[in-house]
């Protein structure tokens, strides 16, 4: 029976209630943070002269021993002890005797779990920042390798303008860069120490809050005990950030699925990132990309769940908050497994330069360039756009490309269009490098962008 | 290595991909359904003369043996075999030899998993219907026991009109009744058999689809092979239904938390459904009700996740769908654990008749009755409402109840209010039974409602 | 100032509060239902002898006049009167004098708005059922017209097995069929009358609840006054149903976008359902399909919002419920505009039979058939699958299709593969009709399916 | 007909499509930003010598005139012109003649709308920061006024430990402080200029991107044209941030509703922030707080919708993105109206010092202090907690408070408990100030916290 029921509720809980109440199968994930926090608390108690230095040393020794047992898989988690905190405290007391009962002085599970969750979010957040950086690096590698691969830029999944693969990959990279920044902001904001807040209104013991915060590498103690124990906006923020990251990974996944289709044929994923079918022997499916899309749906569900969970709680701590663990654990696990698999898949992907290049040939991709050419000859853009649109319509009816219309028909629309220069305007390869402004797909601009990104990503994250 | 990679992808997957790709740690939950479906498929193959009766018998024997191993905890789930289907097929082949390789004839994991999920949703759905019924029954029990407990009916958490506890409990019961009906509708709708749909476009083998559907107690085979393998609206519907149920359980939980507060003091939950604090020795917290509210947030997250997951998938099956399992498993687990714990908590709760009765005394609960009394004397309701509102304002300024205003001040507003009958109008106990129309809180109406509900709930669910 | 503040709160609300409090800009959408409900209530008051027949007639006359004013755009909605109910009641009293003040006898805005919302959901629900039916019919029309258009069935967006366009369209139709059923179930469940429930605990007037319910064509009065005023599960259910419908429409939209790409080239939407670009003159974008996907995201947001809104409310009515209107109005509006636009877009779409047929030629689409052929020769399926997978691998390395491998190489894998019959097995056109089991893409099966669907859809909906 | 259809699609859209396609009824909200962006673009075209200075001046003059017409309500929005951009461009051309057709040179609606949305989010974001600051200030004002109001701190809605109202209010303030920081981070991150990105791959005109960015007070141009037009993570981040803010406002609202109940009686909201009932004349309901909770549900729905909307889009711009406006507009409108109404409601609220003080008297609020006292006497905390828990159980059985147990029964548990000092330990007023550590409710700590918060909030936001 859980020691937390104490003398007030000496009996055990109802069996159906026990199944609802016990959380150790999930929150045992926090054991490292729980022990780290307890060690700091024990040392803090000694600093505040609430326990002796010897008692603190004994507690630290015991906690270290418990950590070793867990690490080695020798620890027997007991559902009857409810949660990670009580499992560890109970084992500590078995190992140390009555001094174990001094660890929880001036502390509550409410400030303890808030501390554990912040340590956890900080650790997993930093792992995620590193994994985003790895993926960014893999993308930059391909952007460098495919610098001369031209392809259409699409809007509405219709071919729009001539572009290059590196430019497209750099768009992926921009999204991920912001994802990293967002996560770093969230980590900075959550890096405060709840310990000392007690159950809700602090404690009468003169705890050394700054010192304990420092031991745990928090930037500072939290400033209000009620807020410290009742607030979970750090989880909502992290989960939202991971959901946005998930959306970006899903968009990358969507493109990989599309590009892997026989119809596009733009990319060939390595066999090691694909699977076959149990029925259709010919299949090689882009599962890595589909699973990433799928996990992203779950990340949105997790962010939603955490927002809903907190929405109507009055202060301070309410037991509803037990349910915040599964969503945040799943969100981090999902993000990390997706980032790592996608990093490998992208690094090993082979792009079909031929198929991409060939896609420039149909779709009147230089229609904008033709309108711009007319602008250069003095036609207002809107009129030029209208004229070229009419030509496209004509070409479509004939089943030809814009450039395949006879010169006299072009000239009939506007004298300048009879100009032989028009053929050059309609050459997609030249059209890519014409887009030489900042942020455009011209080779020199993309080279600059890659170099700048390399510098940014390799700077220290936090 | 998974046999599903076959000859097309002879190598293993990348390690990071394996962590993303393997699902057996989650989908092993479906082993019963998977084996049940395979047994029916094997028998169906024999009926269609694709395999012999002896081969079918051998497969059924082997599958039964695998089921026994799993049941007894002797089965070694192998992550390298990817999922529940391939783990079971591989073990079957170890047990039966090459005939094991005949089981998957005319079948794909795509129709197989769709079948497993429908069988699973049907089984868990029926368990949930039964658990809702248990909770409904516990509520009816309290409604009978507390028939004479009067209390205010609240709106905006302000005391509104005189009512009785049983009437309030019967409102909970009405919500749950619709939850049960909604779930039964969903179960009826999903009870169709995908087997025979193959990967996406059926199979060339003349499978006995009707017979197989019947063996599995499905109402019929699904009518379109692409739909059968690609659609998961049955999961979205079930998850939405469980989310709505969760909202209702959360509302009940909200009221139990509120009523357990020292300020309300309307209910005292049994010790076995509460917990104490690790720091504050006096605490007895209504954890059962808070955890129910918390789980409901996760149910909303699960429904959202499933909607998002499906939203942009083109047909047929996409691997994103692997991720549909965790949300639906969690949604059912959460619903069942909440229903069962809440059933016990409500059955054992003690309501404070005194506190509830006492709450009728302040809040001018019969102000509506007073306005209605004026209506009886010929005043249009809107004018009567205005007049009584003014009296309440006066009473509030004096710090008294409406009935404590002197008769002459009442009479000054309207001559009828000087009438001694007015005291009777302002008696909350009489006011409850004055509300004797259908659906109202008068004793006789509530007695009728309880009897009708008893009959309805005890009728067979599906 | 709103008459609802009455004598209790004689002053006006704060200006910032007014902006939060006023809802008439949104809930005026409910004016028809509000007046319909008030007419029934007035008649019911007379039936119960609470007002005279003459007073009821006067109220009905006045309400009818108000309805005319609104219909003709002559009604001046006044934000200071808060909501649709008070705007109409105030105008009624202007028109009828003091008798207008009798309309609200035995009624509260709480049962009034619940009635309005149920009438609204029933009306819009039926419109949506009709619009789903129209879309289903448009799809059936194309399924009939394209009966002989063969195409690959895809899984994972990879070509999987030979199929036909009609079979694919019939999968869309199956989804919509269940959407219609789900919505009909929801409409049936919500078709109960809250009037008479009052604010929360009914009323002392002996209202004729059954008669009023019948006037409004409800199946019955609601059975519990607290439930009647506090519950909104009918909105959660309808919104979830519309979200699932949205997911299906989004999936259809996804395919139309994909099929409209130059790479697929499977469909050509009519110009009237597409738009161009403001910059790129050549563009013809499948906007109809993209907008449908976009609206579906909002439908998911609306369903989530309604679940969250209700989640933590204690009974009875709370003002949070004012916010239920925008999500449900948006959800219905979105569904209807999408259904109608998609109906037109599909009816006028031209499918490219050549491109679809050509897509069968690459992707080893008959690999399953080849494995099945080996099964027919006695090879267990799993071994056959493995062998054919190896052949595909070989073909891929050579850059040829399975059927282009020389007979001797085929024969080396298994003697039967040298058989000339193998060429027939590998013919996609024959392979489609080989899938002749129930639910498969063989021509005869699809003809049957279309005929059955025609019958089902034309049966009366509700 | 929209000029954007150009020569490519000379006809109008289908009527049902028009209803789906037209967005001007919603996106006209962006007119200020659209005109501001167009003025900068026109000037930039001149800087780049694409048009002349005179043409630019003419365009700016025309755009300013259009702005004036809109401001004065004289502008006729035309649904046939689709959206805000085309309405303004068309009117500009009416006013300026053909030069109007030069405005869109080197620009697309894709970079234009991305610019508008960033300008909009920046403006509304800053308004929201200011409104958060106002609310923070109102809370600080009450925290100062109620410095000596003691009350229980609650966990699980059960009385936990002695605290003070100011300390509680400062917890609200902490949440809002982080909300402000989060929003400022989001505004900083989104403050980049998409103009020049064109439809997706930039433009061949040598636009002055840095100069244009500077005119619009953006920190810099965006670095990748595809990302600039296809990404909406800034909206997802802002919406998530507003959803978290909404959760915090909802929690404050939850407490105001609770505290307004007759049972708690802790607060009395001003009449100007409450409403009455249309049926029950006595009602004064805390509508402001309930509506804030309700709006928060919609904010969660909006954040979810935006995540879903983007999730599966391939790059670049897709028309789905038209649907991003309603959710973000609603989210900002909801946040602002809630912040402003809540600011007034809190500033004018009257707290009942007596009811709060009285709530300290029951609930054994000093049980933790008693256990801590035993710790001071050498008992390990866990043992002390158990012993005090047993005493509470005894007191509950007797129906008395812990401090009302006879001294000899206390002493029987532990000799120190017979000590007269124990009475002091059990005095709630002293217990509050005993919690004097950083972050605790002792008077001096709260005074410090208020002063620090005053300094922080008054520092310039961005």
């Amino acid at each position: 029976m859980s020691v937390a029921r104490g003398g007030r509720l000496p009996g055990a809980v109802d069996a159906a209630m026990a199944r609802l109440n016990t959380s150790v199968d999930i929150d045992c994930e926090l054991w490292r943070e729980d022990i780290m926090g307890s060690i700091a608390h024990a040392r803090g108690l000694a600093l505040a002269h609430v326990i002796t230095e010897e008692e603190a040393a004994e507690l630290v020794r015991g906690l270290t021993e418990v950590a070793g047992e867990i690490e080695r898989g020798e620890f027997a988690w007991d559902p009857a002890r409810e949660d990670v905190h009580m499992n560890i405290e109970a084992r500590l007391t078995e190992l140390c005797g009555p001094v174990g009962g001094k660890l929880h002085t001036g502390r509550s599970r409410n400030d303890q779990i808030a501390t554990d969750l912040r340590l956890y979010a900080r650790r997993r957040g930093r792992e995620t920042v590193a994994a985003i950086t790895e993926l960014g690096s893999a993308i930059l590698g391909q952007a460098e390798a495919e610098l001369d691969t031209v392809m259409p830029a699409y809007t509405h999944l219709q071919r729009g303008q001539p572009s290059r693969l590196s430019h497209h990959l750099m768009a992926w990279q921009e999204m991920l860069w912001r994802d990293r920044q967002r996560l770093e902001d969230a980590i900075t904001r959550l890096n405060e120490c709840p310990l000392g807040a007690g159950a809700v209104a602090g404690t009468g013991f003169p705890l050394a809050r700054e010192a304990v915060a420092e031991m745990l590498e928090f930037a500072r103690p939290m400033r209000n005990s009620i807020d410290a124990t009742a607030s979970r906006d750090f989880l909502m923020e992290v989960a939202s950030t991971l959901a946005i990251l998930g959306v970006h990974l899903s968009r990358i996944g969507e493109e990989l699925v599309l590009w892997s289709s026989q119809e596009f044929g733009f990319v060939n994923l390595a066999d090691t990132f694909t699977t076959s079918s149990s029925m259709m022997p010919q299949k090689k499916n882009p599962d890595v990309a589909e699973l990433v899309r799928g996990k992203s749906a779950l990340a949105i569900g997790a962010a939603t769940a955490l927002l809903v969970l907190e929405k109507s709680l009055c202060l301070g701590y309410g037991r509803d908050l037990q349910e915040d663990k599964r969503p945040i654990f799943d969100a981090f696990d999902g993000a990390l497994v997706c980032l790592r698999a996608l990093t490998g898949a992208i690094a090993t992907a082979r792009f079909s330069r031929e198929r991409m290049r060939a896609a420039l040939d149909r779709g009147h991709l230089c229609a904008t360039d033709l309108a711009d050419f007319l602008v250069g000859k003095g036609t207002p853009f809107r009129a030029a756009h209208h004229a070229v649109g009419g030509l496209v319509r004509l070409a479509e009816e004939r089943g030809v490309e814009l450039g395949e219309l006879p010169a006299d028909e072009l000239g009939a629309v506007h004298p300048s269009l009879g100009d032989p220069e028009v053929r050059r305007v309609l050459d997609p390869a030249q059209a890519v490098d014409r887009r030489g402004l900042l942020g455009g797909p011209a080779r020199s601009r993309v080279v600059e962008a890659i170099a700048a990104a390399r510098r940014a990503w390799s700077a220290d994250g936090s």
Side-chain angles (χ1 to χ4, degrees), chain A residues 244-278:
Chain A
I244 297 171
L245 168 65
V247 166
H248 288 161
L249 299 182
S250 178
R251 297 186 78 174
I252 295 173
E254 179 78 9
E255 299 204 302
L256 290 177
V257 168
L258 211 59
W259 291 359
S260 296
S261 68
Q262 281 97 343
E263 286 73 14
F264 277 82
F266 284 1
V267 75
N268 193 354
L269 296 178
D271 287 1
T272 47
F273 289 91
T274 60
T275 70
S276 189
S277 156
S278 70

CSV table of all heavy atoms in Angstrom, one decimal, chain A residues 244-278:
chain,number,residue,atom,x,y,z
A,244,ILE,N,4.1,21.4,-34.3
A,244,ILE,CA,4.5,22.2,-35.5
A,244,ILE,C,5.7,21.5,-36.2
A,244,ILE,O,5.6,21.4,-37.5
A,244,ILE,CB,4.9,23.6,-35.1
A,244,ILE,CG1,3.6,24.3,-34.5
A,244,ILE,CG2,5.4,24.4,-36.3
A,244,ILE,CD1,3.9,25.7,-33.9
A,245,LEU,N,6.6,21.0,-35.5
A,245,LEU,CA,7.7,20.2,-36.1
A,245,LEU,C,7.1,19.0,-36.8
A,245,LEU,O,7.5,18.7,-38.0
A,245,LEU,CB,8.7,19.8,-35.0
A,245,LEU,CG,9.7,18.7,-35.3
A,245,LEU,CD1,10.7,19.2,-36.4
A,245,LEU,CD2,10.4,18.2,-34.1
A,246,GLY,N,6.2,18.4,-36.2
A,246,GLY,CA,5.5,17.2,-36.8
A,246,GLY,C,4.9,17.6,-38.2
A,246,GLY,O,4.9,16.9,-39.1
A,247,VAL,N,4.2,18.7,-38.2
A,247,VAL,CA,3.6,19.2,-39.4
A,247,VAL,C,4.7,19.4,-40.5
A,247,VAL,O,4.5,19.0,-41.7
A,247,VAL,CB,2.8,20.5,-39.2
A,247,VAL,CG1,2.5,21.2,-40.5
A,247,VAL,CG2,1.6,20.3,-38.3
A,248,HIS,N,5.8,19.9,-40.1
A,248,HIS,CA,6.9,20.1,-41.1
A,248,HIS,C,7.4,18.8,-41.6
A,248,HIS,O,7.6,18.5,-42.8
A,248,HIS,CB,8.0,21.0,-40.5
A,248,HIS,CG,7.6,22.4,-40.4
A,248,HIS,ND1,8.2,23.3,-39.6
A,248,HIS,CD2,6.6,23.1,-41.0
A,248,HIS,CE1,7.6,24.5,-39.7
A,248,HIS,NE2,6.6,24.4,-40.6
A,249,LEU,N,7.6,17.9,-40.7
A,249,LEU,CA,8.1,16.5,-41.1
A,249,LEU,C,7.1,15.9,-42.0
A,249,LEU,O,7.4,15.2,-42.9
A,249,LEU,CB,8.4,15.7,-39.8
A,249,LEU,CG,9.5,16.2,-38.9
A,249,LEU,CD1,9.7,15.3,-37.7
A,249,LEU,CD2,10.8,16.5,-39.6
A,250,SER,N,5.8,16.1,-41.6
A,250,SER,CA,4.7,15.5,-42.4
A,250,SER,C,4.7,16.0,-43.8
A,250,SER,O,4.5,15.3,-44.8
A,250,SER,CB,3.4,15.7,-41.7
A,250,SER,OG,2.3,15.2,-42.5
A,251,ARG,N,5.0,17.3,-44.0
A,251,ARG,CA,5.0,17.9,-45.3
A,251,ARG,C,6.2,17.3,-46.1
A,251,ARG,O,6.1,17.1,-47.3
A,251,ARG,CB,5.2,19.4,-45.2
A,251,ARG,CG,4.0,20.1,-44.5
A,251,ARG,CD,4.1,21.6,-44.6
A,251,ARG,NE,3.7,22.1,-45.9
A,251,ARG,CZ,3.5,23.4,-46.2
A,251,ARG,NH1,3.8,24.3,-45.3
A,251,ARG,NH2,3.2,23.7,-47.5
A,252,ILE,N,7.3,17.2,-45.4
A,252,ILE,CA,8.5,16.5,-46.1
A,252,ILE,C,8.1,15.1,-46.5
A,252,ILE,O,8.3,14.7,-47.6
A,252,ILE,CB,9.7,16.5,-45.2
A,252,ILE,CG1,10.2,18.0,-45.0
A,252,ILE,CG2,10.8,15.7,-45.8
A,252,ILE,CD1,11.3,18.1,-43.9
A,253,GLY,N,7.4,14.4,-45.6
A,253,GLY,CA,7.0,13.0,-45.9
A,253,GLY,C,6.0,13.0,-47.0
A,253,GLY,O,6.1,12.1,-47.9
A,254,GLU,N,5.1,13.9,-47.1
A,254,GLU,CA,4.1,14.0,-48.2
A,254,GLU,C,4.9,14.1,-49.5
A,254,GLU,O,4.5,13.4,-50.5
A,254,GLU,CB,3.3,15.2,-48.0
A,254,GLU,CG,2.2,15.5,-49.0
A,254,GLU,CD,1.0,14.6,-48.9
A,254,GLU,OE1,0.9,13.9,-47.9
A,254,GLU,OE2,0.2,14.5,-49.9
A,255,GLU,N,5.9,14.9,-49.6
A,255,GLU,CA,6.6,15.1,-50.8
A,255,GLU,C,7.4,13.8,-51.2
A,255,GLU,O,7.5,13.5,-52.4
A,255,GLU,CB,7.5,16.3,-50.7
A,255,GLU,CG,6.7,17.6,-50.5
A,255,GLU,CD,7.3,18.9,-51.0
A,255,GLU,OE1,8.4,19.1,-50.5
A,255,GLU,OE2,6.7,19.6,-51.8
A,256,LEU,N,8.0,13.2,-50.2
A,256,LEU,CA,8.7,12.0,-50.5
A,256,LEU,C,7.8,10.9,-51.0
A,256,LEU,O,8.2,10.1,-51.9
A,256,LEU,CB,9.5,11.5,-49.2
A,256,LEU,CG,10.7,12.4,-48.8
A,256,LEU,CD1,11.3,11.8,-47.5
A,256,LEU,CD2,11.7,12.4,-49.9
A,257,VAL,N,6.6,10.8,-50.4
A,257,VAL,CA,5.6,9.8,-50.9
A,257,VAL,C,5.3,10.1,-52.4
A,257,VAL,O,5.3,9.2,-53.2
A,257,VAL,CB,4.4,9.8,-50.0
A,257,VAL,CG1,3.3,9.0,-50.7
A,257,VAL,CG2,4.7,9.2,-48.6
A,258,LEU,N,5.0,11.3,-52.6
A,258,LEU,CA,4.6,11.8,-53.9
A,258,LEU,C,5.7,11.6,-54.9
A,258,LEU,O,5.5,11.0,-56.0
A,258,LEU,CB,4.3,13.3,-53.9
A,258,LEU,CG,3.3,13.9,-54.8
A,258,LEU,CD1,2.0,13.3,-54.5
A,258,LEU,CD2,3.2,15.4,-54.4
A,259,TRP,N,6.9,12.0,-54.6
A,259,TRP,CA,8.1,11.9,-55.5
A,259,TRP,C,8.5,10.4,-55.7
A,259,TRP,O,9.2,10.1,-56.7
A,259,TRP,CB,9.3,12.7,-54.9
A,259,TRP,CG,9.0,14.2,-54.9
A,259,TRP,CD1,8.0,14.8,-55.4
A,259,TRP,CD2,10.0,15.2,-54.4
A,259,TRP,NE1,8.1,16.2,-55.2
A,259,TRP,CE2,9.3,16.4,-54.7
A,259,TRP,CE3,11.2,15.1,-53.9
A,259,TRP,CZ2,10.0,17.6,-54.3
A,259,TRP,CZ3,11.8,16.3,-53.5
A,259,TRP,CH2,11.2,17.6,-53.7
A,260,SER,N,8.1,9.5,-54.7
A,260,SER,CA,8.4,8.1,-54.9
A,260,SER,C,7.4,7.4,-55.8
A,260,SER,O,7.7,6.3,-56.2
A,260,SER,CB,8.4,7.4,-53.6
A,260,SER,OG,9.4,7.9,-52.7
A,261,SER,N,6.3,8.1,-56.2
A,261,SER,CA,5.3,7.4,-57.0
A,261,SER,C,5.9,7.2,-58.4
A,261,SER,O,6.8,7.9,-58.8
A,261,SER,CB,4.1,8.3,-57.1
A,261,SER,OG,4.3,9.4,-57.8
A,262,GLN,N,5.4,6.2,-59.1
A,262,GLN,CA,5.8,5.9,-60.4
A,262,GLN,C,5.5,7.2,-61.3
A,262,GLN,O,6.3,7.4,-62.2
A,262,GLN,CB,5.1,4.7,-61.0
A,262,GLN,CG,5.6,3.4,-60.6
A,262,GLN,CD,4.9,2.8,-59.4
A,262,GLN,OE1,4.1,3.5,-58.8
A,262,GLN,NE2,5.0,1.5,-59.2
A,263,GLU,N,4.5,7.9,-61.0
A,263,GLU,CA,4.1,9.0,-61.8
A,263,GLU,C,5.1,10.2,-61.7
A,263,GLU,O,5.4,10.8,-62.7
A,263,GLU,CB,2.7,9.5,-61.4
A,263,GLU,CG,1.6,8.6,-61.9
A,263,GLU,CD,1.5,7.3,-61.1
A,263,GLU,OE1,2.1,7.2,-60.0
A,263,GLU,OE2,0.8,6.4,-61.5
A,264,PHE,N,5.6,10.5,-60.5
A,264,PHE,CA,6.6,11.5,-60.4
A,264,PHE,C,8.0,10.9,-60.7
A,264,PHE,O,8.7,11.4,-61.5
A,264,PHE,CB,6.5,12.1,-59.0
A,264,PHE,CG,5.5,13.2,-58.8
A,264,PHE,CD1,4.2,12.9,-58.6
A,264,PHE,CD2,5.9,14.5,-59.0
A,264,PHE,CE1,3.2,13.9,-58.5
A,264,PHE,CE2,4.9,15.5,-58.8
A,264,PHE,CZ,3.6,15.2,-58.6
A,265,GLY,N,8.3,9.8,-59.9
A,265,GLY,CA,9.6,9.2,-60.2
A,265,GLY,C,10.8,10.1,-59.9
A,265,GLY,O,11.8,10.0,-60.5
A,266,PHE,N,10.6,11.0,-58.9
A,266,PHE,CA,11.7,12.0,-58.6
A,266,PHE,C,12.7,11.4,-57.6
A,266,PHE,O,13.8,11.9,-57.6
A,266,PHE,CB,11.1,13.3,-58.0
A,266,PHE,CG,10.4,14.2,-59.0
A,266,PHE,CD1,10.3,13.9,-60.4
A,266,PHE,CD2,9.9,15.4,-58.6
A,266,PHE,CE1,9.7,14.7,-61.3
A,266,PHE,CE2,9.3,16.3,-59.5
A,266,PHE,CZ,9.2,15.9,-60.8
A,267,VAL,N,12.3,10.5,-56.8
A,267,VAL,CA,13.2,10.0,-55.8
A,267,VAL,C,13.1,8.5,-55.7
A,267,VAL,O,12.0,7.9,-55.9
A,267,VAL,CB,13.0,10.7,-54.5
A,267,VAL,CG1,11.7,10.2,-53.8
A,267,VAL,CG2,14.2,10.6,-53.5
A,268,ASN,N,14.2,7.9,-55.3
A,268,ASN,CA,14.2,6.5,-55.0
A,268,ASN,C,14.8,6.3,-53.6
A,268,ASN,O,16.0,6.5,-53.4
A,268,ASN,CB,15.1,5.8,-56.1
A,268,ASN,CG,14.9,4.3,-56.1
A,268,ASN,OD1,14.3,3.7,-55.2
A,268,ASN,ND2,15.6,3.6,-57.0
A,269,LEU,N,14.0,5.9,-52.7
A,269,LEU,CA,14.5,5.7,-51.3
A,269,LEU,C,15.3,4.4,-51.2
A,269,LEU,O,15.0,3.5,-52.0
A,269,LEU,CB,13.3,5.7,-50.3
A,269,LEU,CG,12.4,7.0,-50.2
A,269,LEU,CD1,11.3,6.7,-49.2
A,269,LEU,CD2,13.3,8.1,-49.8
A,270,ALA,N,16.2,4.4,-50.4
A,270,ALA,CA,17.0,3.2,-50.2
A,270,ALA,C,16.1,2.1,-49.7
A,270,ALA,O,15.2,2.3,-49.0
A,270,ALA,CB,18.1,3.5,-49.2
A,271,ASP,N,16.4,0.9,-50.1
A,271,ASP,CA,15.6,-0.3,-49.7
A,271,ASP,C,15.5,-0.4,-48.2
A,271,ASP,O,14.4,-0.8,-47.7
A,271,ASP,CB,16.3,-1.6,-50.2
A,271,ASP,CG,16.2,-1.8,-51.7
A,271,ASP,OD1,15.6,-0.9,-52.4
A,271,ASP,OD2,16.7,-2.8,-52.2
A,272,THR,N,16.5,0.1,-47.5
A,272,THR,CA,16.5,-0.1,-46.0
A,272,THR,C,15.5,0.9,-45.3
A,272,THR,O,15.3,0.8,-44.1
A,272,THR,CB,17.9,0.2,-45.5
A,272,THR,OG1,18.4,1.4,-46.1
A,272,THR,CG2,18.9,-0.9,-45.8
A,273,PHE,N,14.9,1.8,-46.1
A,273,PHE,CA,13.9,2.6,-45.5
A,273,PHE,C,12.5,2.4,-46.1
A,273,PHE,O,11.6,3.2,-46.0
A,273,PHE,CB,14.3,4.1,-45.7
A,273,PHE,CG,15.4,4.5,-44.8
A,273,PHE,CD1,16.7,4.4,-45.3
A,273,PHE,CD2,15.2,4.9,-43.5
A,273,PHE,CE1,17.8,4.7,-44.5
A,273,PHE,CE2,16.3,5.2,-42.7
A,273,PHE,CZ,17.6,5.1,-43.1
A,274,THR,N,12.4,1.3,-46.8
A,274,THR,CA,11.1,1.0,-47.4
A,274,THR,C,10.7,-0.4,-47.0
A,274,THR,O,11.4,-1.2,-46.4
A,274,THR,CB,11.2,1.0,-49.0
A,274,THR,OG1,12.2,0.0,-49.3
A,274,THR,CG2,11.6,2.3,-49.5
A,275,THR,N,9.4,-0.8,-47.3
A,275,THR,CA,9.0,-2.2,-47.1
A,275,THR,C,8.2,-2.7,-48.3
A,275,THR,O,7.9,-1.9,-49.2
A,275,THR,CB,8.0,-2.3,-45.8
A,275,THR,OG1,6.8,-1.7,-46.2
A,275,THR,CG2,8.6,-1.6,-44.6
A,276,SER,N,8.0,-4.0,-48.3
A,276,SER,CA,7.2,-4.5,-49.4
A,276,SER,C,5.8,-4.8,-48.9
A,276,SER,O,5.4,-4.3,-47.8
A,276,SER,CB,7.9,-5.8,-49.9
A,276,SER,OG,7.3,-6.2,-51.1
A,277,SER,N,5.1,-5.6,-49.6
A,277,SER,CA,3.7,-6.0,-49.3
A,277,SER,C,3.7,-7.5,-48.9
A,277,SER,O,4.4,-8.2,-49.5
A,277,SER,CB,2.8,-5.7,-50.5
A,277,SER,OG,1.7,-6.5,-50.4
A,278,SER,N,2.7,-7.8,-48.0
A,278,SER,CA,2.6,-9.2,-47.7
A,278,SER,C,1.9,-10.0,-48.8
A,278,SER,O,2.0,-11.2,-48.9
A,278,SER,CB,1.8,-9.4,-46.4
A,278,SER,OG,0.5,-9.0,-46.6
